[in-house]
Amino acid sequence: MNGSRVLVLNSGSSSVKYQLLDMTDRTRLASGIVERIGEGPVADHAAALKQVADELARQNLGLDSPELAAVGHRVVHGGTRFTTPALITDEVVEEIEKLIPLAPLHNPANVTGIKVARELRPDLPQVAVFDTAFHSTMPEAAARYAIDVDTADRFGVRRYGFHGTSHAYVSRATAALLDRPVSELNTIVLHLGNGASASAVRGGECVDTSMGLTPLEGLVMGTRSGDLDAAAIFHLSRVGEMSIDEIDTLLNKRSGLLGLCGDNDMREIGRRMGEGDSEAQLAFDIYIHRLRKYVGAYTAVLGRVDAIAFTAGVGENSAAVREAAMGGLTAFGVEVDTVRNALRGSGARLISAESSRVAVAVVPTDEELEIASQTFDLVSD
Ligand code: ADP
């Protein structure tokens, strides 16, 4: 293989995000986003990727460059089929297509991105990196729902988990920050963005995570409810006479912080709380309550916790969320230093007190770098 550059593509339903990285020094050479696919000038994913290719060519970083070693694609759902990154072949594309029923909103766009990129550079190795893969090490006790086994297996109803690329990256970056081998470290990773998930990582392997069959389960998110009694759906259907699609939209798009207080941006919620807004305060309290429940649960799952890492938009930026989530946990060996927590910074940093047995850290995630690393490792073998 020649070349040391990897193009990372994240093809969503209405946007394509891209980054070009040089893996010799892990630097970012270019990045951007093409939005509003399907509206106006960007008719479809093919047009969007063409725009990405043109933009890179303008910067003399074109797809035809011999420096380009591979393309890494983010793929949301790998089911039980993909537990590691996969070199893309026709068979792999077919397998990803078969998983569309499990991720109807995400996998189709991911597949389209892969197909178009393969047409643009058929000779170039392309790799699929799955959001679910890091969680495939979860034991059956954590991965199975307690429902009829035959039905569950027939329809693939089990807990897959998402944000895996981020949980993988952050758990390793936390070990690096603490200067300890990841194999010795038990870590709770709290990925708090618009979507949010927690994971329990033992010695670098995921043993539990809060998202399940879909990204709906678990924590309170920007617009998703997280955990809910499944019977609420029967109730809304029977008594509320809502259709399945309406309930789907309710729980995925009109719930969470947005449903609770009308805002899904933690900055705005913080501002409103400062003005004494009780609706925003209650939304925040529910968000924190759920988060603390997962920290407690994963402490029990792991038995011994060495580190708790906060990441993604809220985790990296909201000192208020971190303080509220970690408050009153001295019995768990968790003590946050208020001054350290309030300091703003861009890199990975400790926010726990010297006396804290558990290291608490802010560890910025970098999913693109992780996808590029996994892609480069695979094609360099
Ligand atoms: P996504 O899941 O879309 O990748 P991000 O990880 O970028 O999301 O997180 C986006 C969220 O981060 C925003 O909706 C907002 O709630 C939160 N956020 C970003 N900056 C701040 C900040 N300075 N303070 C508090 N919350 C923030």
Side-chain angles (χ1 to χ4, degrees):
M1 181 194 64
N2 311 310
S4 57
R5 293 178 187 164
V6 175
L7 175 64
V8 176
L9 290 178
N10 182 351
S11 307
S13 54
S14 67
S15 73
V16 173
K17 291 187 207 152
Y18 67 94
Q19 283 197 10
L20 182 69
L21 293 106
D22 191 327
M23 298 317 289
T24 45
D25 51 6
R26 294 154 73 94
T27 49
R28 224 164 299 266
L29 303 173
S31 67
I33 180 168
V34 178
E35 289 176 290
R36 289 190 282 280
I37 296 174
E39 299 169 32
V42 196
D44 52 21
H45 282 80
L49 282 190
K50 176 85 178 30
Q51 197 167 314
V52 171
D54 289 348
E55 180 53 38
L56 289 171
R58 245 195 307 281
Q59 300 178 45
N60 284 323
L61 298 166
L63 282 185
D64 52 357
S65 159
E67 286 296 314
L68 190 60
V71 180
H73 295 268
R74 176 192 184 211
V75 179
V76 167
H77 217 306
T80 48
R81 165 71 177 74
F82 296 104
T83 57
T84 54
L87 191 64
I88 294 171
T89 59
D90 292 343
E91 189 260 330
V92 166
V93 174
E94 276 170 34
E95 293 286 328
I96 298 172
E97 282 179 326
K98 280 190 201 150
L99 294 167
I100 285 176
L102 283 173
L105 296 178
H106 296 105
N107 273 29
N110 301 158
V111 170
T112 309
I114 289 171
K115 286 183 172 166
V116 177
R118 287 181 91 204
E119 276 164 26
L120 287 175
R121 273 297 301 273
D123 56 312
L124 199 65
Q126 310 218 7
V127 174
V129 177
F130 300 89
D131 252 26
T132 46
F134 182 63
H135 305 300
S136 65
T137 50
M138 276 196 289
E140 285 293 281
R144 279 207 178 263
Y145 293 112
I147 63 171
D148 173 72
V149 172
D150 293 338
T151 309
D153 287 350
R154 192 161 153 228
F155 297 107
V157 179
R158 57 185 283 122
R159 311 191 55 253
Y160 299 95
F162 298 87
H163 290 146
T165 308
S166 176
H167 287 281
Y169 177 85
V170 170
S171 53
R172 266 189 270 112
T174 304
L177 173 71
L178 300 176
D179 201 17
R180 293 193 43 194
V182 72
S183 58
E184 287 176 12
L185 212 64
N186 288 355
T187 305
I188 297 174
V189 178
L190 303 172
H191 176 112
L192 311 176
N194 228 330
S197 64
S199 69
V201 183
R202 177 181 289 134
E205 287 199 344
C206 178
V207 292
D208 204 352
T209 195
S210 60
M211 284 177 168
L213 172 72
T214 77
L216 182 60
E217 193 180 343
L219 301 174
V220 175
M221 313 185 205
T223 66
R224 295 186 203 125
S225 63
D227 292 335
L228 179 84
D229 183 343
I233 295 163
F234 318 146
H235 182 78
L236 290 170
S237 168
R238 291 181 188 130
V239 180
E241 295 184 359
M242 292 174 72
S243 71
I244 287 297
D245 286 341
E246 283 169 341
I247 300 171
D248 189 331
T249 303
L250 171 78
L251 298 182
N252 277 297
K253 303 220 168 100
R254 295 200 290 119
S255 295
L257 294 170
L258 181 72
L260 288 167
C261 75
D263 273 307
N264 61 333
D265 191 312
M266 200 51 90
R267 285 165 289 203
E268 186 58 17
I269 291 170
R271 195 192 59 72
R272 285 173 56 187
M273 281 161 58
E275 292 173 348
D277 183 323
S278 59
E279 227 183 28
Q281 182 68 53
L282 181 59
F284 183 85
D285 291 349
I286 296 169
Y287 182 96
I288 296 294
H289 179 79
R290 186 83 50 84
L291 193 53
R292 290 170 66 88
K293 280 197 352 189
Y294 272 93
V295 170
Y298 288 173
T299 299
V301 166
L302 290 168
R304 185 200 80 230
V305 178
D306 301 302
I308 299 174
F310 284 87
T311 196
V314 176
E316 290 169 32
N317 295 298
S318 175
V321 164
R322 295 192 300 257
E323 184 167 340
M326 298 284 97
L329 295 182
T330 38
F332 283 23
V334 175
E335 287 171 74
V336 163
D337 182 296
T338 325
V339 177
R340 282 182 182 174
N341 183 41
L343 284 177
R344 299 196 67 77
S346 53
R349 56 200 186 273
L350 276 177
I351 58 166
S352 41
E354 292 302 324
S355 53
S356 185
R357 185 169 51 70
V358 178
V360 184
V362 176
V363 181
T365 193
D366 194 337
E367 290 166 90
E368 287 77 16
L369 176 59
E370 180 66 24
I371 291 171
S373 305
Q374 293 191 17
T375 298
F376 196 66
D377 285 352
L378 189 72
V379 300
S380 312
D381 274 350

